[in-house]
Amino acid sequence: MPRKQPYNARSLALRSLREVAQGAFAAEAIDHALREHPLAEADRGLLTQLVYGVLRERAFLDQVLSRYVSKAKTPEALLDLLRLGAYQCLSLEKVPDYAAVHEAVELAKLKHGSGAGRMANAVLRSLLREQTEIRAKLFDGRIESYPEWMLRRWRKRYPPERLKRMLEYFAAPAPLWARVNPRKAEAAGAAMIELGNRERSSWWQEMEAGNISIQDPHSYEVAMAVAPKDGEKILDACAGHGGKSSALAEIAPGMELYVHEPSPERIAQLGENFARLGIHQPTILSGPQAAADQELVFDAILVDAPCSGMGTLGRKPEIRWRLKPADLGRLAQKQRVILEGWIPRLGPAGRLIYAVCSLEPEEGRDNVATFLAGHPELRLEEERELFPEPGAGDGFYLARLARVK
């Protein structure tokens, strides 16, 4: 009789890693697992830590495991299991070694047979015998756990100390920040607060009451670059869940806000967020043609374009393993197509704010330069790189363009 699948933090972490390998984002895979198999809060935390930890440190874990197994000859699903066990042995001090090894062996037997169980036992026990030597390389190995092509391009672009700060930021769980709703929060003072280690239940209640919204500080800075004023027509052309557009609505409730987002699910969530925050619902457009049909022109257009996400590698570590160098040029072309679609809707004295959560030149400075070369009616007023480092936010590039008067 086959043994029953154990649904615990480790087995669900392995399942989530397999879903990520098939194209899911880590957050989606974890949510999917917890919807089907709810866990206690402590186990939910362990599940999240295991999935994100393995994804962040995968290159280093593979380097360690290569002492004992051939990556080319080991099925990827079994490699994920070994990575999971190795991560617990090397990086989670609160997890006893015997528990990490036992769970890995049992999962290997269940998923791949008794031979795989013996292999997992031998690999992880060998690793534990050599852990003193391995741990001496843990810090550098952890912060440099990327595809080699990413490290090469960053080493060419950044001085060593600056690069180290960025890699240290991406190596740790991204800090959680919240934007304070000045229209509802009783103690509205600072625009942003770091939630840090606050109990989820405490800030979750604040969020449900509409007093705060989860938002990265640099994402908020992008929204503030729009500088909306009451009476203006403002468009958020790539609205997503409405993080930036709701920030705009909070600070300029008298503006006329329009949003565009192709995903019906995201538009639905955007509406829920606006209702939670107690702010007026925006007008939803289906695209540039809808704006043209209504003869709309805007005082400001925000294009927070789909991008590689290479400024968010601490928050979304899976991105580093699925991106290829050629993706950057492909994404840059897509970003320019989006800009071209909305430029005719920019008013005579209008301003266009272009942003990506990436610092790669193909998507940022070089992309804007290419776009401007074909649009002499526009000028560059400002461009900024919001650098990801400890104490700051994720990495963003933003440019503010204006029509030449």
Side-chain angles (χ1 to χ4, degrees):
M1 180 181 238
R3 287 187 296 172
K4 191 175 179 182
Q5 166 75 53
Y7 292 111
N8 55 34
R10 292 176 178 86
S11 66
L12 292 178
L14 180 60
R15 170 181 141 164
S16 298
L17 288 169
R18 297 313 306 145
E19 289 188 9
V20 169
Q22 292 159 14
F25 282 104
E28 295 170 346
I30 292 169
D31 286 347
H32 180 211
L34 290 173
R35 280 197 306 272
E36 292 189 1
H37 305 285
L39 298 176
E41 187 166 347
D43 288 329
R44 290 168 62 97
L46 177 59
L47 165 61
T48 301
Q49 188 173 21
L50 290 173
V51 173
Y52 281 97
V54 169
L55 290 171
R56 284 192 190 96
E57 299 182 19
R58 198 178 91 175
F60 175 68
L61 296 172
D62 284 357
Q63 183 183 353
V64 170
L65 291 170
S66 68
R67 297 174 173 222
Y68 319 111
V69 295
S70 166
K71 184 176 180 180
K73 296 179 181 179
T74 308
E76 191 66 22
L78 183 52
L79 271 176
D80 267 342
L81 192 152
L82 294 174
R83 290 166 180 148
L84 193 59
Y87 173 73
Q88 292 172 81
C89 291
L90 294 172
S91 296
L92 296 189
E93 295 180 359
K94 293 183 179 180
V95 174
D97 292 340
Y98 72 83
V101 174
H102 174 76
E103 288 283 347
V105 169
E106 291 303 306
L107 276 173
K109 289 179 184 176
L110 182 67
K111 298 285 188 182
H112 305 281
S114 56
R118 290 192 294 272
M119 174 190 180
N121 185 64
V123 167
L124 294 178
R125 291 195 180 281
S126 296
L127 180 155
L128 288 171
R129 284 193 294 271
E130 299 176 9
Q131 65 178 307
T132 301
E133 176 193 346
I134 295 170
R135 284 180 185 278
K137 304 173 183 177
L138 184 58
F139 178 77
D140 287 341
R142 178 181 287 158
I143 69 169
E144 295 186 356
S145 186
Y146 296 87
E148 186 55 37
W149 70 267
M150 283 190 187
L151 291 174
R152 276 199 307 270
R153 68 167 24 230
W154 289 337
R155 285 169 182 151
K156 288 178 182 176
R157 199 155 80 241
Y158 298 122
E161 280 305 310
R162 193 170 209 214
L163 174 58
K164 184 180 178 184
R165 293 200 306 273
M166 182 175 80
L167 296 181
E168 286 177 352
Y169 178 81
F170 287 153
L176 196 61
W177 289 81
R179 182 185 82 238
V180 177
N181 182 354
R183 304 179 65 203
K184 291 188 74 171
E186 293 179 4
M192 301 291 298
I193 53 173
E194 186 172 8
L195 297 178
N197 295 321
R198 297 189 193 187
E199 286 292 327
R200 179 185 173 91
S201 58
S202 66
W203 60 255
W204 187 256
Q205 291 173 355
E206 289 292 300
M207 193 170 77
E208 287 187 329
N211 294 335
I212 61 172
S213 297
I214 303 302
Q215 188 170 25
D216 177 83
H218 285 166
S219 170
Y220 179 71
E221 221 171 306
V222 168
M224 292 305 95
V226 178
K229 300 178 183 66
D230 289 343
E232 289 188 322
K233 278 189 174 70
I234 307 288
L235 169 70
D236 185 350
C238 304
H241 301 112
K244 295 178 181 68
S245 48
S246 60
L248 298 176
E250 286 175 358
I251 64 169
M255 70 177 174
E256 197 174 333
L257 179 62
Y258 294 77
V259 299
H260 168 253
E261 168 55 49
S263 165
E265 293 80 11
R266 287 181 177 176
I267 284 292
Q269 190 168 6
L270 181 149
E272 293 169 5
N273 286 335
F274 271 66
R276 175 180 60 82
L277 295 167
I279 50 183
H280 186 67
Q281 293 284 342
T283 300
I284 297 168
L285 298 176
S286 58
Q289 187 56 51
D293 291 344
Q294 297 177 43
E295 299 183 345
L296 289 170
V297 292
F298 299 99
D299 297 292
I301 298 176
L302 170 61
V303 177
D304 180 21
C307 69
S308 67
M310 282 179 65
T312 65
L313 295 179
R315 201 173 303 280
K316 298 177 181 178
E318 64 272 27
I319 289 174
R320 67 187 81 181
W321 308 118
R322 58 182 56 160
L323 272 178
K324 306 297 180 192
D327 292 335
L328 297 173
R330 176 181 57 79
L331 287 163
Q333 185 176 19
K334 181 178 180 181
Q335 290 149 9
R336 292 195 299 274
V337 167
I338 294 172
L339 290 171
E340 293 287 355
W342 288 108
I343 278 296
R345 301 293 96 211
L346 189 64
R351 56 199 185 275
L352 170 70
I353 290 79
Y354 168 76
V356 284
C357 51
S358 167
L359 297 179
E360 304 312 304
E362 293 93 329
E363 300 181 281
R365 291 178 181 275
D366 293 354
N367 207 14
V368 167
T370 300
F371 179 71
L372 285 173
H375 286 276
E377 78 278 16
L378 299 174
R379 70 176 186 276
L380 177 64
E381 285 194 331
E382 177 192 17
E383 65 179 341
R384 277 188 278 162
E385 288 188 344
L386 306 176
F387 194 73
E389 57 188 331
D394 290 342
F396 278 84
Y397 167 87
L398 73 88
R400 181 185 173 105
L401 313 179
R403 283 204 183 275
V404 176
K405 295 179 181 178

